[in-house]
Amino acid sequence: MAKLHLITYGCQMNEYDSERVAGLLRDARWELTTDEREADLILLNTCAIREKAEDKVFSKLGELRRLKSSNPDLVLGVMGCMAQLHQATIQSRAPYVDLVFGSPAISRVTELVDHVRRERRPVMDTGEGPLVKITARAPSASRLRAFVTVMEGCEKHCTFCVVPTTRGRERSHTPETILAEVRGLVADGVKEVTLLGQTVNAYGRDLTPPTDLGELFWWLNDVDGLERIRFTTSNPYNLTPRLIRAFRDVPKVCEWFHLPLQSGSNRILARMNRGYTVERYLELIAELRDAVPDVTLSTDIIVGFPGETDDDFQATLAVVERVGYDNVFAFRYSRRPGTPAATMPDQVPDDVKADRNTRLLAVTGRLAAARSTRLLGRTVDVLVDGHSRKDADVLAGRSRCNRVVNFDGQGQVAVGDVVPVTVTEVLPHSLRATLAPHAEEALCTSR
Ligand code: 5AD
């Protein structure tokens, strides 16, 4: 069997796409290898969201060039968002790349690879294509948790973001296709699905008849054997009372909500074209907390967006303090080709971005640690997914609020079980717990 080495950069949607590519190629008798030196085909699934992600890919391509000169039969491919955005640059900076294809071409990957191997000349496929649900899965994919793409693309046109160019317009998969995929995954042992979409809460409005994410939750809730449903990423602009009700009412939906704020300054939010104000955002947070008091909240924030003053940044810190997130992902603004913000006049110097990033992380770290301590002594449900990395007697899993929990299963618990445990210690990146004597109502599931 020929050997495939697959390197994935970027978001969960890329991880999902990589799994599909590995699955499709496996059906065509390609075996995955973790050793790039023994590969006959190396694919880089790339991310274009920030410049740093792109730099990593070009430096990896530079390394792989050496491998290719010692093994001229090696086929080297670049797929994903950079392929879509930078086809010409890839061809000029790395002319030894044999294959470049965007996400619409993923379903044809086998054909594209065969083409390169047969013709011995580069193949480019970065055009638009129909939305296809691919259910092939890599043998290496997790048995308990799975990503499921429910929609592709984004039509928000935030001025910093390249996604509308790389992933195209919004297109939802039908509920029937998603249900069939989830049923298949559950039959293979999957217990938890994370529904993916660039604006996942805009799901379904492009379908005929239209539907929405809340309705999809209810359908999926009926799948026997499925324990948990997560979803990401939501946009505040599309967060409706209907979705908040479904978030509260659908039992399998976990109490975990990722809601990007991006900035706590109305002036910057307007320049970002986010479509909401800080006041509106805080109202939504209040509604979410009202519906699910113990909701775990996380967010994305960009520091150093063009024109961001120290006062704007202070306003962001104030919102972060006020919300009290469990987790914050902070990003330094990165100029993306073709986006409106890239040519805005008042770009922020790198050292100022770095300084704001450090200040933001100091605040978010302190708040997250304070939030974590409230878990001490509480009972939470854990989906057991393996052993602790440090101690094989200790089981590891995740709570509904997505925290890593380690505990002693005392020989009574197996991988795949959902068990209540009581938190005995809160560490920076995980929790320690003991088996709870009774299935008390878990913190994260209290409604
Ligand atoms: N620069 C920095 N961060 C960005 N993001 C998106 N585009 C950019 C950019 N040009 C961040 C946003 C988004 C997350 C996935 O990446 O915060 O929510």
Side-chain angles (χ1 to χ4, degrees), residues 8 33-34 36 51-52 100 123 141 150 187 192-193 218 248 251-252 260 268 338 340-341 367 379 381 438-439:
T8 307
T33 172
T34 52
E36 61 189 29
E51 199 176 352
K52 220 163 89 185
V100 178
V123 171
V150 300
E192 175 180 312
V193 291
W218 281 114
R248 178 192 64 193
K252 290 180 185 172
I268 298 297
L367 292 170
T379 298
D381 275 349
H438 309 291

Side-chain angles (χ1 to χ4, degrees), residues 378-398:
R378 306 292 292 265
T379 298
V380 298
D381 275 349
V382 172
L383 169 58
V384 182
D385 57 15
H387 301 279
S388 153
R389 251 176 280 154
K390 291 184 207 124
D391 181 350
D393 289 338
V394 174
L395 293 176
R398 277 185 190 259

Side-chain angles (χ1 to χ4, degrees), residues 27-39:
D27 295 346
R29 304 188 52 76
W30 284 88
E31 181 187 13
L32 268 179
T33 172
T34 52
D35 183 357
E36 61 189 29
R37 284 163 311 180
E38 65 168 29

